[in-house]
Short mmCIF file of all heavy atoms in Angstrom, two decimals:
data_model
loop_
_atom_site.label_atom_id
_atom_site.label_comp_id
_atom_site.label_asym_id
_atom_site.label_seq_id
_atom_site.Cartn_x
_atom_site.Cartn_y
_atom_site.Cartn_z
N MET A 49 -117.54 114.01 63.70
CA MET A 49 -116.79 113.17 64.63
C MET A 49 -116.81 113.84 66.06
O MET A 49 -116.77 113.15 67.10
CB MET A 49 -115.32 113.11 64.13
CG MET A 49 -115.19 112.19 62.91
SD MET A 49 -115.69 110.55 63.31
CE MET A 49 -116.05 109.94 61.68
N PHE A 54 -115.77 111.13 68.88
CA PHE A 54 -114.44 110.53 68.47
C PHE A 54 -113.38 111.58 68.40
O PHE A 54 -112.22 111.31 68.40
CB PHE A 54 -114.63 109.84 67.11
CG PHE A 54 -115.47 108.66 67.17
CD1 PHE A 54 -116.57 108.63 66.26
CD2 PHE A 54 -115.37 107.65 68.06
CE1 PHE A 54 -117.42 107.57 66.27
CE2 PHE A 54 -116.26 106.63 68.16
CZ PHE A 54 -117.28 106.55 67.21
N GLU A 55 -113.84 112.90 68.37
CA GLU A 55 -112.86 114.00 68.45
C GLU A 55 -113.42 114.98 69.54
O GLU A 55 -114.60 115.10 69.69
CB GLU A 55 -112.82 114.75 67.11
CG GLU A 55 -112.36 113.91 65.97
CD GLU A 55 -110.82 113.53 66.05
OE1 GLU A 55 -110.13 114.15 66.96
OE2 GLU A 55 -110.33 112.75 65.25
N PRO A 74 -117.90 108.42 73.45
CA PRO A 74 -118.97 108.08 72.57
C PRO A 74 -120.00 107.09 73.15
O PRO A 74 -121.16 107.25 72.85
CB PRO A 74 -118.23 107.42 71.41
CG PRO A 74 -116.76 107.62 71.58
CD PRO A 74 -116.52 108.21 72.93
N GLN A 75 -119.50 106.06 73.89
CA GLN A 75 -120.47 105.07 74.38
C GLN A 75 -121.43 105.58 75.30
O GLN A 75 -122.48 104.95 75.62
CB GLN A 75 -119.70 103.85 74.92
CG GLN A 75 -119.00 104.06 76.24
CD GLN A 75 -117.49 104.51 76.02
OE1 GLN A 75 -117.17 105.00 75.04
NE2 GLN A 75 -116.72 104.36 77.07
N ILE A 79 -125.87 108.05 70.75
CA ILE A 79 -126.06 108.64 69.42
C ILE A 79 -125.88 107.50 68.48
O ILE A 79 -124.86 106.79 68.59
CB ILE A 79 -125.10 109.71 69.05
CG1 ILE A 79 -125.27 110.92 70.03
CG2 ILE A 79 -125.30 110.23 67.60
CD1 ILE A 79 -124.31 111.98 69.86
N MET A 81 -124.93 105.86 64.81
CA MET A 81 -124.01 106.41 63.79
C MET A 81 -123.93 105.35 62.63
O MET A 81 -123.77 104.14 62.89
CB MET A 81 -122.66 106.68 64.33
CG MET A 81 -121.70 107.19 63.27
SD MET A 81 -120.53 108.49 63.89
CE MET A 81 -119.65 108.82 62.45
N PHE A 83 -121.66 104.46 59.40
CA PHE A 83 -120.29 104.87 58.96
C PHE A 83 -120.19 104.65 57.46
O PHE A 83 -120.90 103.90 56.78
CB PHE A 83 -119.23 103.93 59.63
CG PHE A 83 -119.08 104.31 61.09
CD1 PHE A 83 -119.98 103.76 62.06
CD2 PHE A 83 -118.04 105.05 61.50
CE1 PHE A 83 -119.72 104.07 63.37
CE2 PHE A 83 -117.82 105.41 62.74
CZ PHE A 83 -118.69 104.84 63.76
N GLN A 84 -119.14 105.33 56.93
CA GLN A 84 -118.73 105.11 55.54
C GLN A 84 -118.37 103.65 55.46
O GLN A 84 -117.74 103.07 56.42
CB GLN A 84 -117.52 105.91 55.30
CG GLN A 84 -117.51 106.66 54.01
CD GLN A 84 -116.36 107.72 53.92
OE1 GLN A 84 -115.76 107.99 54.91
NE2 GLN A 84 -116.18 108.23 52.80
N ALA A 87 -119.12 99.63 58.34
CA ALA A 87 -118.59 99.17 59.65
C ALA A 87 -119.40 98.08 60.27
O ALA A 87 -119.63 98.17 61.44
CB ALA A 87 -118.28 100.31 60.53
N LEU A 88 -119.87 97.12 59.52
CA LEU A 88 -120.64 95.96 60.16
C LEU A 88 -119.54 95.04 60.75
O LEU A 88 -118.48 94.91 60.16
CB LEU A 88 -121.47 95.33 59.18
CG LEU A 88 -122.61 96.15 58.53
CD1 LEU A 88 -123.36 95.31 57.51
CD2 LEU A 88 -123.55 96.60 59.59
N PHE A 89 -119.88 94.43 61.81
CA PHE A 89 -118.95 93.47 62.45
C PHE A 89 -118.86 92.21 61.62
O PHE A 89 -119.81 91.43 61.60
CB PHE A 89 -119.28 93.22 63.86
CG PHE A 89 -119.51 94.42 64.69
CD1 PHE A 89 -120.59 94.55 65.56
CD2 PHE A 89 -118.60 95.44 64.68
CE1 PHE A 89 -120.80 95.68 66.32
CE2 PHE A 89 -118.72 96.60 65.38
CZ PHE A 89 -119.84 96.75 66.22
N PRO A 90 -117.72 91.92 61.01
CA PRO A 90 -117.67 90.73 60.08
C PRO A 90 -117.72 89.44 60.81
O PRO A 90 -118.04 88.42 60.18
CB PRO A 90 -116.34 90.92 59.32
CG PRO A 90 -115.54 91.85 60.19
CD PRO A 90 -116.50 92.67 61.02
N ASN A 91 -117.39 89.47 62.12
CA ASN A 91 -117.42 88.19 62.88
C ASN A 91 -118.84 87.84 63.37
O ASN A 91 -118.96 86.91 64.17
CB ASN A 91 -116.39 88.25 63.96
CG ASN A 91 -116.61 89.43 64.83
OD1 ASN A 91 -116.95 90.55 64.43
ND2 ASN A 91 -116.30 89.31 66.13
N MET A 92 -119.81 88.73 63.18
CA MET A 92 -121.11 88.47 63.66
C MET A 92 -122.10 88.35 62.57
O MET A 92 -121.92 88.95 61.50
CB MET A 92 -121.60 89.56 64.59
CG MET A 92 -120.67 89.75 65.76
SD MET A 92 -121.33 91.09 66.86
CE MET A 92 -119.90 91.51 67.76
N PHE A 100 -126.21 93.71 68.94
CA PHE A 100 -125.05 94.18 69.70
C PHE A 100 -125.34 95.38 70.68
O PHE A 100 -125.11 95.36 71.81
CB PHE A 100 -123.91 94.42 68.78
CG PHE A 100 -122.65 94.91 69.43
CD1 PHE A 100 -121.72 93.96 69.90
CD2 PHE A 100 -122.29 96.23 69.62
CE1 PHE A 100 -120.58 94.28 70.58
CE2 PHE A 100 -121.16 96.61 70.25
CZ PHE A 100 -120.34 95.64 70.66
N PRO A 101 -126.00 96.51 70.10
CA PRO A 101 -126.20 97.61 70.97
C PRO A 101 -127.24 97.38 72.07
O PRO A 101 -127.17 97.96 73.13
CB PRO A 101 -126.76 98.63 69.96
CG PRO A 101 -127.08 98.04 68.76
CD PRO A 101 -126.30 96.74 68.73
N GLU A 103 -127.47 94.25 73.57
CA GLU A 103 -126.75 93.41 74.47
C GLU A 103 -125.90 94.28 75.46
O GLU A 103 -125.88 94.01 76.61
CB GLU A 103 -125.84 92.37 73.72
CG GLU A 103 -126.50 91.16 73.36
CD GLU A 103 -125.64 90.30 72.47
OE1 GLU A 103 -124.37 90.40 72.55
OE2 GLU A 103 -126.15 89.57 71.59
N VAL A 104 -125.17 95.17 74.83
CA VAL A 104 -124.28 95.99 75.74
C VAL A 104 -125.17 96.85 76.69
O VAL A 104 -124.64 97.35 77.70
CB VAL A 104 -123.30 96.88 74.98
CG1 VAL A 104 -122.37 96.04 74.16
CG2 VAL A 104 -124.02 97.93 74.10
N ARG A 105 -126.47 97.09 76.32
CA ARG A 105 -127.35 97.76 77.20
C ARG A 105 -128.11 96.78 78.14
O ARG A 105 -128.99 97.20 78.89
CB ARG A 105 -128.37 98.56 76.41
CG ARG A 105 -127.75 99.82 75.77
CD ARG A 105 -128.78 100.53 74.91
NE ARG A 105 -128.22 101.85 74.50
CZ ARG A 105 -127.22 102.01 73.57
NH1 ARG A 105 -126.76 100.89 73.00
NH2 ARG A 105 -126.78 103.19 73.23
N ARG A 148 -129.01 99.00 62.49
CA ARG A 148 -128.21 98.85 63.70
C ARG A 148 -128.10 100.19 64.42
O ARG A 148 -128.11 100.27 65.71
CB ARG A 148 -126.84 98.28 63.43
CG ARG A 148 -126.05 97.89 64.62
CD ARG A 148 -124.70 97.43 64.19
NE ARG A 148 -123.85 98.42 63.50
CZ ARG A 148 -122.64 98.31 63.14
NH1 ARG A 148 -121.98 97.13 63.43
NH2 ARG A 148 -121.94 99.24 62.61
N PHE A 152 -131.45 100.91 68.98
CA PHE A 152 -131.55 101.28 70.34
C PHE A 152 -132.25 102.65 70.56
O PHE A 152 -132.18 103.21 71.60
CB PHE A 152 -130.18 101.35 71.03
CG PHE A 152 -129.13 102.23 70.38
CD1 PHE A 152 -128.90 103.46 70.97
CD2 PHE A 152 -128.46 101.87 69.29
CE1 PHE A 152 -127.95 104.32 70.43
CE2 PHE A 152 -127.52 102.69 68.69
CZ PHE A 152 -127.25 103.92 69.27
N ASN B 318 -110.64 97.12 60.05
CA ASN B 318 -111.14 98.52 59.77
C ASN B 318 -111.25 99.23 61.09
O ASN B 318 -112.02 98.83 61.94
CB ASN B 318 -112.51 98.39 59.09
CG ASN B 318 -113.13 99.73 58.82
OD1 ASN B 318 -112.58 100.75 59.19
ND2 ASN B 318 -114.26 99.70 58.13
N ASN B 320 -112.85 101.76 61.86
CA ASN B 320 -114.20 102.17 62.11
C ASN B 320 -115.02 101.13 62.89
O ASN B 320 -116.05 101.46 63.47
CB ASN B 320 -114.95 102.46 60.77
CG ASN B 320 -114.76 103.91 60.37
OD1 ASN B 320 -114.36 104.76 61.21
ND2 ASN B 320 -115.14 104.24 59.20
N LEU B 321 -114.54 99.88 62.88
CA LEU B 321 -115.38 98.81 63.62
C LEU B 321 -115.39 99.09 65.10
O LEU B 321 -116.44 98.95 65.76
CB LEU B 321 -114.78 97.44 63.28
CG LEU B 321 -115.01 96.99 61.83
CD1 LEU B 321 -114.32 95.63 61.61
CD2 LEU B 321 -116.44 96.88 61.49
N VAL B 322 -114.24 99.38 65.61
CA VAL B 322 -114.16 99.68 67.09
C VAL B 322 -114.92 101.00 67.44
O VAL B 322 -115.66 101.07 68.43
CB VAL B 322 -112.66 99.83 67.56
CG1 VAL B 322 -112.65 100.25 68.99
CG2 VAL B 322 -112.00 98.47 67.32
N ARG B 323 -114.79 101.96 66.51
CA ARG B 323 -115.63 103.20 66.70
C ARG B 323 -117.09 102.89 66.65
O ARG B 323 -117.86 103.35 67.45
CB ARG B 323 -115.29 104.15 65.57
CG ARG B 323 -113.94 104.78 65.74
CD ARG B 323 -113.75 105.80 64.57
NE ARG B 323 -112.70 106.79 65.03
CZ ARG B 323 -112.48 107.92 64.29
NH1 ARG B 323 -113.12 108.08 63.23
NH2 ARG B 323 -111.60 108.73 64.65
N ALA B 324 -117.51 102.05 65.71
CA ALA B 324 -118.85 101.73 65.56
C ALA B 324 -119.35 101.03 66.87
O ALA B 324 -120.40 101.36 67.38
CB ALA B 324 -119.14 100.73 64.36
N ALA B 325 -118.52 100.16 67.40
CA ALA B 325 -118.94 99.41 68.64
C ALA B 325 -119.14 100.43 69.79
O ALA B 325 -120.09 100.35 70.47
CB ALA B 325 -117.89 98.41 68.98
N THR B 326 -118.18 101.39 69.90
CA THR B 326 -118.42 102.34 71.01
C THR B 326 -119.52 103.28 70.81
O THR B 326 -120.22 103.63 71.68
CB THR B 326 -117.10 103.16 71.26
OG1 THR B 326 -116.74 103.78 70.01
CG2 THR B 326 -115.95 102.35 71.80
N SER B 327 -119.75 103.65 69.51
CA SER B 327 -120.94 104.52 69.26
C SER B 327 -122.26 103.76 69.55
O SER B 327 -123.26 104.36 69.79
CB SER B 327 -120.92 104.98 67.85
OG SER B 327 -121.53 104.09 66.93
N LEU B 328 -122.22 102.41 69.45
CA LEU B 328 -123.41 101.69 69.70
C LEU B 328 -123.53 101.35 71.24
O LEU B 328 -124.48 100.69 71.67
CB LEU B 328 -123.43 100.35 68.98
CG LEU B 328 -123.47 100.47 67.53
CD1 LEU B 328 -123.12 99.15 66.76
CD2 LEU B 328 -124.83 100.95 67.09
N GLY B 329 -122.62 101.96 72.04
CA GLY B 329 -122.76 101.82 73.49
C GLY B 329 -121.76 100.89 74.18
O GLY B 329 -121.91 100.75 75.39
N ALA B 330 -120.87 100.30 73.52
CA ALA B 330 -119.99 99.36 74.07
C ALA B 330 -118.84 100.14 74.70
O ALA B 330 -118.34 101.10 74.20
CB ALA B 330 -119.43 98.34 73.10
N SER B 331 -118.39 99.68 76.01
CA SER B 331 -117.19 100.29 76.59
C SER B 331 -116.03 99.95 75.72
O SER B 331 -116.04 98.98 74.97
CB SER B 331 -117.05 99.78 77.96
OG SER B 331 -116.73 98.44 77.94
N PRO B 332 -114.86 100.68 75.84
CA PRO B 332 -113.70 100.28 75.05
C PRO B 332 -113.32 98.81 75.28
O PRO B 332 -112.89 98.09 74.26
CB PRO B 332 -112.62 101.24 75.53
CG PRO B 332 -113.39 102.45 76.04
CD PRO B 332 -114.68 101.90 76.57
N THR B 334 -115.29 96.27 76.17
CA THR B 334 -116.32 95.36 75.39
C THR B 334 -116.01 95.47 73.87
O THR B 334 -116.07 94.45 73.21
CB THR B 334 -117.70 95.81 75.69
OG1 THR B 334 -117.82 95.97 77.13
CG2 THR B 334 -118.70 94.80 75.18
N ALA B 335 -115.70 96.66 73.31
CA ALA B 335 -115.48 96.70 71.97
C ALA B 335 -114.31 95.93 71.54
O ALA B 335 -114.26 95.26 70.52
CB ALA B 335 -115.19 98.21 71.58
N ARG B 338 -115.40 91.96 72.05
CA ARG B 338 -116.37 91.46 71.18
C ARG B 338 -116.04 91.65 69.74
O ARG B 338 -116.57 90.94 68.87
CB ARG B 338 -117.75 92.10 71.50
CG ARG B 338 -118.34 91.78 72.84
CD ARG B 338 -118.99 90.42 72.89
NE ARG B 338 -119.87 90.17 71.75
CZ ARG B 338 -121.10 90.46 71.72
NH1 ARG B 338 -121.74 91.03 72.75
NH2 ARG B 338 -121.88 90.23 70.67
N VAL B 339 -115.28 92.73 69.42
CA VAL B 339 -115.12 93.04 67.94
C VAL B 339 -113.65 92.93 67.53
O VAL B 339 -113.33 92.18 66.62
CB VAL B 339 -115.62 94.45 67.70
CG1 VAL B 339 -115.39 94.85 66.22
CG2 VAL B 339 -117.09 94.55 67.93
N TYR B 340 -112.76 93.68 68.25
CA TYR B 340 -111.37 93.66 67.73
C TYR B 340 -110.67 92.37 67.92
O TYR B 340 -110.12 91.78 66.98
CB TYR B 340 -110.57 94.78 68.44
CG TYR B 340 -109.25 95.07 67.81
CD1 TYR B 340 -109.15 95.94 66.74
CD2 TYR B 340 -108.10 94.50 68.32
CE1 TYR B 340 -107.95 96.15 66.14
CE2 TYR B 340 -106.90 94.78 67.71
CZ TYR B 340 -106.80 95.60 66.60
OH TYR B 340 -105.56 95.85 65.96
N PRO B 342 -111.77 89.17 68.40
CA PRO B 342 -112.16 88.03 67.46
C PRO B 342 -111.59 88.21 66.05
O PRO B 342 -111.30 87.23 65.37
CB PRO B 342 -113.63 88.13 67.50
CG PRO B 342 -114.04 88.81 68.71
CD PRO B 342 -112.90 89.76 69.08
N LEU B 343 -111.45 89.43 65.61
CA LEU B 343 -110.95 89.68 64.24
C LEU B 343 -109.52 89.45 64.14
O LEU B 343 -108.99 89.22 62.97
CB LEU B 343 -111.34 91.09 63.74
CG LEU B 343 -112.86 91.35 63.59
CD1 LEU B 343 -113.16 92.80 63.24
CD2 LEU B 343 -113.41 90.43 62.53
N ARG B 420 -114.80 80.54 65.74
CA ARG B 420 -115.15 81.69 64.96
C ARG B 420 -116.61 81.67 64.65
O ARG B 420 -117.13 80.73 64.19
CB ARG B 420 -114.31 81.75 63.67
CG ARG B 420 -112.90 82.04 64.04
CD ARG B 420 -112.10 82.50 62.85
NE ARG B 420 -112.54 83.85 62.42
CZ ARG B 420 -112.43 84.36 61.28
NH1 ARG B 420 -111.87 83.71 60.31
NH2 ARG B 420 -112.87 85.62 60.96
#
Side-chain angles (χ1 to χ4, degrees):
Chain A
M49 290 297 155
F54 298 124
E55 299 288 351
Q75 69 269 21
I79 299 175
M81 180 145 180
F83 288 83
Q84 225 169 348
L88 297 177
F89 307 133
N91 53 325
M92 301 182 198
F100 185 84
E103 271 171 30
V104 298
R105 284 176 173 74
R148 190 180 64 174
F152 59 100
Chain B
N318 179 356
N320 269 349
L321 291 176
V322 174
R323 285 183 159 189
T326 54
S327 86
L328 293 169
S331 67
T334 310
R338 294 279 315 270
V339 177
Y340 191 82
L343 292 175
R420 293 198 70 200

